[in-house]
Amino acid sequence: MADDMGFSDPGCYGSEIQTPNLDRLAENGLRFSRFYNGARCCPTRASLLTGLYAHQVGVGYMADNDWGHESYRGDLDDQCVTMAEALGSSGYATYMTGKWHVTRHLGHWSGDSARMSKENWPLRRGFDRFYGTIIGAGSYYDPVTLVRDNEPVEPEEDNFYYTDAINDQMVVFINEHIKSGNKNPFFAYVAHVAPHWPLHALPEDIERYEGVYDKGWDEIRRERLEKMKRIGLLDEDTELTPRDPGVPPWEEEKNKAWMVRAMEVYAAQIERMDKGIGRIIEALEKNHILENTLIVFLSDNGGCAEILTDGWRGMFIARETRDGRQVHVGNDPSVLPGPENTYQSYGVGWANVSNTPFRLYKHFAHEGGISTPMIMHWPGGIKAKGEWRRYPSHIIDLMPTFLDVAGVEYPERFNGKEILPPEGQSLIPVIKQDRVERDGPLFWEHEGNRAVLSGKWKLVQRHNRDWALFDMLIDRTETTDLSDEMPEKVAELKTMYEEWAEWAGVLPWPAYKYIQDNKLDEDAR
């Protein structure tokens, strides 16, 4: 799983970024054109791990604070079972590297005695081995909350780079599994931080993109759109959404040099991740298990338009490098991104490029926020090669898919407690034929941004704005709002959404204020 990678960022989804290993998986497997995530990192990860909507498992907002309501605890609850728990109890070995981000318990780094428990860390939720970070972001050169298995550790090499460490440690886990003579199959979860801010990349990787982005975001968006049409991802009549209204035409951008460098670093982060994925594929090949291994690649949300400033604070931002240099925090045009002593983001203009051809970004329930590239590669189980699957699918579908592939029953009880039934459905029929009816609609809510998808109709709303209605078969870019023309359809879908929200535990936004005003925290506790 990539972090904050937009819909068009892999080469095999339309980008100019070099991703030969992802491209190889796509050429020899399947690509999904309408796969959806949960609009934000930890809600998506909670749904990925459990097959449930994030509110159902306590991660209705973020894995940061306990707001005193069961849907907003900031922790995976005990009404769910993770993939690792379900597969592990059926004989699978379970390995994870990378970003966890589904608990508010951050160990000693939190400085808060109430948050130092390890109760929801990976080894407590079904994983046999773990190497990665508990928190959701941080320096690629010195990540905070770095853990091996259940114990805090520090970067071991002077030239430590987190993306490499995530991939290389999974290679170690795979090789150790095979060399140990363990005949059981394994489940591996590789949870990248790349290309999430900060913009940290190695000089040799950045150098390969010198000059690529000099033409600016307007031209890069147009080029990506044309490539997306050529490769069959988008219909020929798909039009590019207007440039974000807060972004100037490239010709009018005042800080071109900084902006170009920002995108060069972002692209370098993705290419470095792809190289590490290649090493994992090579390990599977050398151990003669690639043929019968299902590999899935996706992103946790759309491209991120967040702009970092020098006022940003948090334990995920170190103020000094490992060798004592001051870290420059914020998108200061006088400080070029990439090195260890910077902490910056690529901003709205390039996020608009990442999400080509859609509008809006991470956080939102519009297509730019929830659409993800998704690749499935399984030589022994997928006969089709290089094909697209256009059936709308969701992150909640992966848990039942993996259990289906493994021949494992979803448990009704786990550790003596009743478990909520899964909300997703297996994608095996989709893999085989692509034309399958969903059992029901799909839903989203994050920070008051809401949506429901039922058949070809999508009803979507930005927080505190009007609902908008789109026909997704002919208007995937959400440019023609039909709500005024079809008030009955709006009412129908709105009712669907409201019934789901009540059932799933979604509260009016801002949820923390609603909880306080209605004293829900007292009732929940």
Side-chain angles (χ1 to χ4, degrees):
M1 173 172 276
D3 195 343
D4 286 7
M5 174 188 259
F7 184 66
S8 71
D9 279 333
C12 54
Y13 272 75
S15 170
E16 66 295 327
I17 300 172
Q18 300 301 305
T19 57
N21 294 294
L22 294 179
D23 297 352
R24 172 190 171 188
L25 295 179
E27 290 167 6
N28 295 286
L30 298 174
R31 281 169 288 180
F32 283 61
S33 66
R34 294 187 65 191
F35 196 90
Y36 292 110
N37 53 53
R40 191 85 175 271
C41 39
C42 38
T44 291
R45 291 159 199 269
S47 292
L48 168 71
L49 285 165
T50 65
L52 297 164
Y53 286 105
H55 301 81
Q56 292 179 277
V57 299
V59 192
Y61 175 49
M62 295 285 282
D64 291 313
N65 298 303
D66 183 352
W67 286 351
H69 184 277
E70 60 184 2
S71 302
Y72 299 89
R73 295 290 190 189
D75 254 320
L76 285 183
D77 63 26
D78 57 7
Q79 295 186 87
C80 65
V81 60
T82 69
M83 283 189 200
E85 288 169 333
L87 292 169
S89 62
S90 298
Y92 272 69
T94 55
Y95 308 119
M96 179 181 171
T97 57
K99 168 177 168 175
W100 183 233
H101 205 202
V102 287
T103 181
R104 65 187 183 88
H105 295 286
L106 301 179
H108 72 273
W109 298 279
S110 69
D112 180 354
S113 60
R115 302 176 66 186
M116 290 187 182
S117 167
K118 301 177 182 179
E119 65 184 57
N120 245 345
W121 287 16
L123 266 61
R124 303 290 179 89
R125 296 310 303 244
F127 286 96
D128 298 326
R129 300 295 310 276
F130 171 66
Y131 177 84
T133 44
I134 305 301
I135 204 171
S139 169
Y140 286 69
Y141 302 100
D142 186 18
V144 68
T145 73
L146 187 63
V147 168
R148 182 177 296 280
D149 293 327
N150 232 28
E151 297 302 321
V153 295
E154 297 294 331
E156 298 170 355
E157 304 90 12
D158 291 338
N159 61 344
F160 179 92
Y161 185 70
Y162 192 26
T163 299
D164 287 345
I166 288 170
N167 289 313
D168 292 343
Q169 185 60 63
M170 184 53 71
V171 169
V172 170
F173 286 158
I174 292 170
N175 287 335
E176 287 179 348
H177 179 92
I178 299 300
K179 290 178 181 178
S180 71
N182 190 336
K183 300 300 183 182
N184 290 339
F186 64 83
F187 165 60
Y189 176 27
V190 184
H192 276 283
V193 173
H196 192 294
W197 48 255
L199 292 169
H200 282 167
L202 303 179
E204 60 267 31
D205 295 335
I206 300 171
E207 184 178 347
R208 281 192 292 277
Y209 289 91
E210 184 176 352
V212 172
Y213 297 105
D214 290 0
K215 62 187 71 174
W217 40 61
D218 293 322
E219 183 59 27
I220 295 293
R221 284 186 84 213
R222 283 191 288 267
E223 290 179 357
R224 287 197 181 188
L225 177 65
E226 292 308 310
K227 182 177 178 181
M228 295 168 91
K229 292 177 180 180
R230 289 198 306 271
I231 64 178
L233 172 53
L234 298 177
D235 295 335
E236 282 296 326
D237 59 355
T238 301
E239 296 184 1
L240 196 63
T241 54
R243 181 194 321 105
D244 187 288
V247 175
W250 181 249
E251 294 75 16
E252 299 176 14
E253 170 57 46
K254 297 178 181 178
N255 299 304
K256 284 189 176 68
W258 189 91
M259 289 295 183
V260 166
R261 172 65 174 230
M263 190 60 190
E264 290 172 352
V265 176
Y266 179 84
Q269 288 176 297
I270 291 175
E271 182 175 339
R272 194 75 179 191
M273 175 179 64
D274 180 84
K275 287 182 177 179
I277 292 171
R279 293 194 293 276
I280 294 175
I281 296 171
E282 183 181 17
L284 296 172
E285 285 183 304
K286 287 184 175 179
N287 287 297
H288 309 293
I289 54 176
L290 179 64
E291 184 78 10
N292 199 33
T293 299
L294 170 61
I295 301 174
V296 176
F297 174 86
L298 72 161
S299 179
D300 61 356
N301 45 248
C304 176
E306 296 164 352
I307 299 175
L308 273 63
T309 71
D310 59 6
W312 278 53
R313 297 288 186 274
M315 60 182 290
F316 54 89
I317 302 179
R319 293 291 151 174
E320 290 186 350
T321 63
R322 293 169 67 188
D323 58 5
R325 289 172 292 153
Q326 179 182 355
V327 174
H328 300 277
V329 180
N331 295 0
D332 181 350
S334 69
V335 179
L336 291 180
E340 182 178 2
N341 64 337
T342 64
Y343 207 99
Q344 302 170 315
S345 64
Y346 74 160
V348 182
W350 293 121
N352 209 180
V353 169
S354 288
N355 295 336
T356 303
F358 308 128
R359 59 192 176 96
L360 294 179
Y361 318 96
K362 169 183 175 179
H363 298 266
F364 299 99
H366 286 69
E367 295 294 287
I370 61 175
S371 298
T372 176
M374 208 279 271
I375 302 167
M376 277 192 169
H377 179 275
W378 184 19
I382 299 177
K383 294 182 179 180
K385 307 296 180 187
E387 295 183 4
W388 291 98
R389 290 294 179 262
R390 306 185 189 280
Y391 170 82
S393 311
H394 191 279
I395 192 74
I396 57 175
D397 295 333
L398 289 184
M399 168 73 140
T401 300
F402 291 173
L403 296 190
D404 192 0
V405 168
V408 173
E409 292 290 329
Y410 186 95
E412 295 182 2
R413 298 182 65 84
F414 190 79
N415 285 342
K417 296 187 177 181
E418 190 171 335
I419 300 300
L420 294 173
E423 291 300 310
Q425 57 192 66
S426 173
L427 297 176
I428 297 303
V430 181
I431 292 171
K432 292 180 178 178
Q433 61 176 339
D434 196 30
R435 296 191 177 186
V436 181
E437 293 296 325
R438 283 207 75 87
D439 293 338
L442 294 169
F443 301 94
W444 293 265
E445 191 280 337
H446 183 68
E447 297 180 327
N449 302 301
R450 313 185 286 176
V452 54
L453 176 68
S454 180
K456 70 175 186 176
W457 298 107
K458 180 180 177 184
L459 188 69
V460 61
Q461 181 188 53
R462 292 178 66 175
H463 179 51
N464 279 340
R465 300 195 185 186
D466 292 335
W467 287 98
L469 178 68
F470 301 102
D471 181 341
M472 300 304 288
L473 292 185
I474 61 174
D475 187 20
R476 178 84 190 274
T477 52
E478 300 170 315
T479 54
T480 305
D481 180 7
L482 302 173
S483 58
D484 289 341
E485 299 175 29
M486 306 183 68
E488 292 182 357
K489 179 58 69 174
V490 171
E492 174 191 343
L493 295 176
K494 184 179 178 183
T495 297
M496 283 185 188
Y497 173 83
E498 290 172 345
E499 290 176 349
W500 169 80
E502 182 177 1
W503 169 84
V506 180
L507 299 180
W509 190 259
Y512 68 87
K513 187 175 187 303
Y514 182 85
I515 292 167
Q516 293 172 352
D517 291 348
N518 292 274
K519 301 187 185 307
L520 296 184
D521 54 338
E522 296 177 7
D523 295 338
R525 290 184 191 282

